């Protein structure tokens, strides 16, 4: 976490976007054996936004990005770097460059980062390092996913959970560092708990040479294990990030967790003794949008006037990998803005 003296980061803009199509729990009863009560009591989700076959990750991410850039008071040509946190790129080779072209950010380097539902937090820390080392001044970080592409719609244990969307923030060089502390973790021994895995079908290419030729399979998840993991590990990683930030939990203004399940949000807040009125939750309207969930929640809270300049936010992402992390930061450039 070392940085040149006087070089810090500030998060100066946010934006979000979601598909127009809304599918509530009642509509899902036409697809799978479930009910509004079954879904809402177990997850807190009441509806989700789903991309149609005409929608693209590039388009959603670009809309969110344009809003964040406008709020930051810069133009796309001011951007030095674009990081796209996603697990569902339009192109397996990467989608960040397509977004760069769509925005007209001709000066920006662009690349994808894959860390599933932890992607936004991992991307935030990654972006900060480029600024702290003095390499770049203006970075666009996007979290975006279209998980509906990879859901098994006959599996009621997973299909009710996920939605599609995009959120973005702009990070800029700042005299004071507004990223107060962070902690990132991974545990590959639990990788099988949540997967969107490639499954090869053997194909004999030439005599004696069989290659794998297949596609990715729908999402599989051990819900009980993921719940247990999140409730245990998320408070720990937030506490570690708070320690690095040299602040206490009572100084947090807002807790913004990956929007996976309302029971997880409630359990983490209860364990950390954070009042419910400090917990940002919008998963009832969007479901689990993976890397997009934290930036969408932040942007909505900013637009609603909840999050204000100088507020201290504790954000934590967790999910496939398994991976998890937390970042403690102050919103905006300075308290006087």
């Amino acid at each position: 976490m070392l940085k040149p003296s006087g070089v810090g980061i500030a998060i100066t803009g946010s934006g979000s976007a979601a598909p127009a199509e809304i599918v509530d729990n009642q509509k899902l009863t036409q697809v799978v054996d479930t009910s509004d009560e079954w879904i809402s009591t177990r997850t807190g989700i009441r509806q989700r936004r789903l991309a149609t076959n005409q929608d693209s990750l590039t388009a959603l991410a670009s809309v969110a990005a344009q809003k964040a850039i406008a709020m930051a008071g810069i133009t796309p040509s001011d951007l030095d770097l674009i990081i796209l946190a996603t697990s569902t790129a339009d192109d397996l080779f990467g989608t960040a460059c397509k977004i760069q072209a769509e925005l007209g950010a001709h000066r920006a380097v662009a690349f994808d980062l894959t860390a599933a539902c932890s992607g936004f937090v991992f991307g935030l820390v990654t972006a900060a390092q480029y600024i702290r080392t003095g390499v770049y001044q203006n970075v666009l970080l996007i979290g975006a996913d279209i998980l509906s592409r990879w859901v098994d719609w006959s599996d009621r244990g997973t299909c009710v959970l996920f939605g599609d969307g995009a959120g973005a923030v702009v990070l800029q060089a700042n005299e004071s560092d507004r990223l107060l502390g962070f902690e990132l973790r991974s545990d590959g021994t639990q990788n099988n708990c949540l997967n969107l895995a490639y499954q090869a079908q053997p194909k004999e290419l030439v005599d004696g040479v069989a290659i794998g030729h297949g596609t990715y399979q729908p999402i599989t998840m051990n819900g009980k294990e993921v719940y247990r993991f999140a409730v245990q590990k998320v408070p720990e990683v937030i506490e570690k990030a708070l320690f690095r930030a040299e602040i206490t939990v009572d100084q947090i203004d807002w807790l913004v967790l990956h929007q996976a399940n309302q029971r997880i949000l409630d359990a983490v807040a209860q364990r950390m003794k954070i009042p419910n009125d400090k917990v940002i939750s919008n998963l009832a309207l969007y479901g689990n949008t993976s890397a997009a969930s934290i930036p969408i929640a932040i942007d909505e809270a900013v637009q609603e006037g909840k999050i204000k300049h100088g507020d201290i936010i504790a954000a934590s992402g967790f999910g496939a990998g398994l991976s998890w992390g937390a970042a403690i930061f102050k919103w905006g450039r300075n308290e006087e803005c």
Side-chain angles (χ1 to χ4, degrees):
M1 299 175 69
L2 295 177
K3 58 185 183 299
S5 177
V7 179
I9 72 145
I11 302 175
T12 58
S14 65
S16 59
E21 196 66 51
I22 298 173
V23 177
D24 61 21
N25 293 343
Q26 187 58 40
K27 287 183 180 178
L28 279 187
T29 64
Q30 303 172 30
V31 179
V32 69
D33 182 17
T34 190
S35 68
D36 175 61
E37 181 183 11
W38 191 91
I39 299 169
S40 60
T41 57
R42 286 165 175 79
T43 69
I45 299 167
R46 296 194 175 277
Q47 65 179 47
R48 69 282 299 142
R49 301 289 191 93
L50 298 182
T52 68
N53 61 353
Q54 300 299 315
D55 293 322
S56 71
L57 191 80
T58 301
L60 285 174
S62 296
V63 171
Q66 288 164 351
K67 293 177 181 178
I69 292 166
M71 184 185 293
I74 62 174
T75 67
S77 61
D78 294 318
L79 293 173
D80 302 302
L81 173 65
I82 298 171
I83 299 175
L84 171 65
T86 188
S87 300
T88 56
D90 290 335
D91 182 342
L92 195 57
F93 287 159
T95 296
C97 289
K98 293 179 67 177
I99 295 168
Q100 180 231 33
E102 186 74 17
L103 295 175
H106 60 277
R107 291 181 55 250
V109 177
F111 64 83
D112 291 21
L113 180 154
T114 301
C117 300
S118 303
F120 179 79
V121 172
F122 278 44
L124 179 67
V125 174
T126 301
Q129 307 318 303
Y130 283 99
I131 295 175
R132 285 174 162 182
T133 56
V135 177
Y136 296 133
Q137 301 292 306
N138 301 304
V139 180
L140 172 67
L141 169 63
I142 307 166
D145 271 301
I146 299 182
L147 287 173
S148 61
R149 292 171 170 171
W150 299 106
V151 165
D152 177 356
W153 291 100
S154 67
D155 177 12
R156 74 169 185 172
T158 57
C159 75
V160 303
L161 301 176
F162 299 105
D164 306 327
V169 296
V170 170
L171 296 85
Q172 294 185 276
N174 197 55
E175 184 174 349
S176 63
D177 200 348
R178 313 288 278 178
L179 177 59
L180 307 180
F182 66 84
E183 183 77 6
L184 305 179
R185 296 289 179 89
S186 299
D187 181 5
T189 66
Q190 298 189 73
N191 177 263
N192 63 343
C193 291
L194 181 54
N195 296 110
L196 202 175
Y198 175 77
Q199 183 173 332
Q201 300 294 328
K203 175 182 176 63
E204 186 169 359
L205 184 64
V206 296
D207 291 344
V209 179
I211 62 170
H213 195 264
T215 186
Y216 290 92
Q217 301 304 296
I219 296 168
T220 60
M221 182 176 67
N222 184 327
K224 290 182 179 179
E225 287 301 317
V226 172
Y227 177 86
R228 186 179 296 113
F229 144 75
V231 170
Q232 176 187 355
K233 297 297 186 180
V234 171
E236 291 177 1
V237 80
I238 294 174
E239 288 167 359
K240 188 68 173 180
L242 288 170
F243 174 78
R244 294 188 182 279
E246 299 182 343
I247 65 173
T248 58
V249 68
D250 58 291
Q251 293 176 272
I252 295 173
D253 293 301
W254 301 104
L255 177 65
V256 187
L257 302 180
H258 165 51
Q259 306 287 297
N261 186 306
Q262 188 63 46
R263 291 190 300 150
I264 293 176
L265 272 63
D266 293 342
V268 171
Q270 183 177 15
R271 180 168 172 178
M272 299 192 70
K273 296 181 172 57
I274 296 175
N276 288 336
D277 60 3
K278 288 187 174 185
V279 180
I280 301 294
S281 174
N282 68 353
L283 68 88
L285 301 179
Y286 294 95
N288 179 344
T289 55
S290 192
S293 75
I294 291 175
I296 290 175
I298 288 175
D299 181 55
E300 287 201 336
V302 170
Q303 298 298 332
E304 293 168 3
K306 291 181 179 180
I307 294 177
K308 300 178 175 62
H309 286 280
D311 282 359
I312 295 177
I313 299 171
S316 181
F318 50 91
L322 293 177
S323 62
W324 65 105
I328 314 298
F329 56 90
K330 286 187 178 182
W331 182 256
R333 192 178 292 281
N334 57 58
E335 287 84 354
E336 290 74 37
C337 286

